[in-house]
Amino acid sequence: MNNQKAQISSEELLTIANRMIREHEDFIHGMRADAVEQRGEILIFKGEYFLADDGTPTGKTMAVFNMFKLLAQELSGRYQLIK
């Protein structure tokens, strides 16, 4: 069994991630990953968290957090960012 991860650019990975977000049943308009970084074996996705003006979480914040967590779980095992 081959456990080799595919090497991928951040731009390519964000394209895949954003397609996954748009196709997910919990998609919220405006939800998207704007950046990704590699921390060890884990991919960390970043983007708009729909925070209130005072910086506190809103009802949408947890949905975005969960989506980015799902992306990390789904994609970290398959891809390694090109340095």
Side-chain angles (χ1 to χ4, degrees), residues 27-61:
F27 172 75
I28 297 170
H29 180 73
M31 184 187 289
R32 62 175 278 115
D34 297 323
V36 61
E37 66 182 60
Q38 185 91 40
R39 288 193 192 159
E41 295 296 313
I42 305 299
L43 295 165
I44 307 296
F45 292 88
K46 298 177 181 183
E48 173 64 55
Y49 274 91
F50 300 103
L51 297 175
D53 290 338
D54 64 359
T56 58
T58 66
K60 296 179 180 179
T61 304

Side-chain angles (χ1 to χ4, degrees), residues 2-50:
N2 186 358
N3 290 333
Q4 187 72 19
K5 293 182 183 182
Q7 299 290 307
I8 193 168
S9 71
S10 60
E11 294 82 11
E12 291 172 307
L13 187 55
L14 287 171
T15 298
I16 293 167
N18 284 310
R19 183 174 49 242
M20 289 174 65
I21 290 170
R22 285 189 308 276
E23 294 173 354
H24 196 277
E25 64 183 14
D26 294 332
F27 172 75
I28 297 170
H29 180 73
M31 184 187 289
R32 62 175 278 115
D34 297 323
V36 61
E37 66 182 60
Q38 185 91 40
R39 288 193 192 159
E41 295 296 313
I42 305 299
L43 295 165
I44 307 296
F45 292 88
K46 298 177 181 183
E48 173 64 55
Y49 274 91
F50 300 103

